[in-house]
Amino acid sequence: MKVLVTGTAGFIGSHVAMKLLARGDQVIGLDNLNDYYDVSLKQARLARFDGQAGYTHVHADLADRAAMEALFEQHKPQRVVHLAAQAGVRYAAQNPHVYVSSNVTGFLHVIEGCRHHGVEHLVFASTSSVYGANTSMPFSEHQSAEHPLTLYAASKKANEQMAHSYAHLYRIPSTGLRFFTVYGPWGRPDMALFLFTRAMLAGESIKVFNHGRHKRSFTFIDDIVEGVVRTLDKVPGPDPGWSGASPDPASSSAPYRIYNIGNERPVQLLRYIEVLEDCLGVKAKMDMLPLQAGDVPDTEADVTSLIEAVGYRPKVSVEEGVRQFVDWYRAYYSV
């Protein structure tokens, strides 16, 4: 297939594109290489595509309507994996406008491209952050998620609703994936594992919010990628059992689905740090701090629907996943 993957200089996007190329798909990669974090890391991810048959890169911004229209017109992708976005929960407090520009306006340009060029399936990134104030564990797509606590989460919830409207009006098959705390090699420098590793190797203290008591469904990148690709191959149709009298938020009478994708076994942050200490051979100096505004105390993924739909569940343990990250980090930074 010819697949447009947005965000191929990003963490998840680069891994998904590599997986698609490895199985013989053509990939049109899109990224604007913004400076939200270290651009050299993004360039290094893109360098992995050098010499790869079937990869074409487009340097453009999602919010640039003319550029996005030209991309769809020129390349005519059959399917789209939309992973590019302004990431980060806390950065929204400093720069809220970029979240709307990238995550809302940019998403509109993607679904408009799908609409006008007959795209067979749109798979797009949502987030576990949409569950917000919900404290019913484990988080299920079949529950309401109407109380996001950050603008980032609200922008991703808006994506889900925009995709549903286009699936209903224009019959564009669309699948949203709610990612749960993704980590692994080539990860983002603003994520906890990266921040902790850098600080610990430098002999600096790490900031441990909520005194390390909260739990997360930490999910290894390979598990995420496998789920994304399997979902891309599973084009949704209308749910014959869906009823407007008791509407299921995860499906529809339109060709639309929402799935959680995350590890079913949440791990306490303090345990995560212990695993990192073992892998690095360094004891962490911890500054214990209260829970930050906008953070949820715990996340736990119910992935029953993903298992039923594509026959796959995340399985890599944090012990194995953190070890692989540390091996990559030491090799990449020569430390």
Side-chain angles (χ1 to χ4, degrees):
M1 295 184 293
K2 182 185 282 189
V3 185
L4 168 63
V5 180
T6 69
T8 47
F11 174 33
I12 300 175
S14 63
H15 281 276
V16 169
M18 292 293 285
K19 178 80 170 182
L20 293 172
L21 289 167
R23 73 174 196 174
D25 291 331
Q26 288 180 265
V27 174
I28 311 303
L30 170 77
D31 210 286
N32 69 347
L33 288 166
N34 70 30
D35 61 359
Y36 168 64
Y37 61 79
D38 183 12
V39 174
S40 67
L41 177 59
K42 297 182 178 184
Q43 291 169 332
R45 293 186 189 126
L46 285 181
R48 299 166 73 207
F49 299 116
D50 290 350
Q52 286 265 14
Y55 182 80
T56 302
H57 190 73
V58 176
H59 185 100
D61 194 309
L62 291 172
D64 185 336
R65 177 178 174 181
M68 294 300 293
E69 288 175 348
L71 183 155
F72 276 92
E73 179 62 37
Q74 179 181 350
H75 295 286
K76 295 182 170 56
Q78 293 166 269
R79 300 189 184 184
V80 174
V81 182
H82 177 52
L83 301 169
Q86 177 55 57
V89 172
R90 299 182 186 102
Y91 183 58
Q94 303 169 38
N95 196 351
H97 296 281
V98 72
Y99 284 79
V100 174
S101 176
S102 180
N103 299 5
V104 180
T105 302
F107 189 75
L108 174 64
H109 295 159
V110 170
I111 57 176
E112 274 286 283
C114 293
R115 170 193 173 192
H116 291 293
H117 294 277
V119 167
E120 300 168 358
H121 188 194
L122 166 65
V123 174
F124 64 94
S126 187
T127 174
S128 61
S129 297
V130 299
Y131 290 108
N134 185 354
T135 57
S136 177
M137 296 287 172
F139 290 148
S140 168
E141 318 92 317
H142 307 288
Q143 300 169 341
S144 172
E146 298 303 321
H147 300 89
L149 299 178
T150 63
L151 182 62
Y152 169 70
S155 72
K156 290 297 190 175
K157 180 63 177 175
N159 289 173
E160 294 181 2
Q161 296 174 322
M162 292 165 74
H164 180 264
S165 70
Y166 270 59
H168 170 74
L169 290 170
Y170 309 114
R171 315 313 286 179
I172 300 168
S174 301
T175 302
L177 296 173
R178 291 176 177 170
F179 295 140
F180 282 71
T181 315
V182 188
Y183 72 99
W186 298 98
R188 277 179 23 213
D190 63 326
M191 297 291 284
L193 184 58
F194 212 114
L195 292 169
F196 291 169
T197 298
R198 176 176 289 164
M200 288 166 65
L201 288 174
E204 301 169 356
S205 61
I206 61 174
K207 294 179 180 179
V208 181
F209 295 102
N210 199 31
H211 303 274
R213 291 192 294 263
H214 57 271
K215 294 181 178 180
R216 292 287 182 268
S217 286
F218 295 107
T219 312
F220 190 62
I221 184 62
D222 290 359
D223 282 338
I224 289 288
V225 170
E226 182 67 25
V228 170
V229 173
R230 289 195 186 205
T231 303
L232 179 66
D233 293 340
K234 177 87 173 175
V235 181
D239 180 354
W242 194 85
S243 168
S246 54
D248 178 358
S251 68
S252 176
S253 57
Y256 172 85
R257 295 291 187 280
I258 295 291
Y259 297 113
N260 287 337
I261 181 166
N263 199 308
E264 297 168 284
R265 297 179 294 278
V267 173
Q268 191 175 55
L269 182 59
L270 286 176
R271 172 57 187 158
Y272 197 56
I273 294 168
E274 285 178 3
V275 173
L276 180 57
E277 289 175 326
D278 290 342
C279 292
L280 289 174
V282 175
K283 193 71 176 173
K285 304 171 188 175
M286 293 183 271
D287 290 341
M288 295 297 189
L289 299 167
L291 191 69
Q292 283 198 302
D295 276 2
V296 295
D298 300 297
T299 66
E300 181 179 349
D302 178 347
V303 294
T304 305
S305 294
L306 182 73
I307 296 165
E308 292 174 351
V310 300
Y312 180 75
R313 64 180 1 130
K315 56 190 177 185
V316 177
S317 68
V318 292
E319 290 78 9
E320 173 60 19
V322 170
R323 183 192 64 76
Q324 289 195 38
F325 171 81
V326 168
D327 288 348
W328 168 80
Y329 187 97
R330 286 191 179 278
Y332 183 78
Y333 289 103
S334 301
V335 291

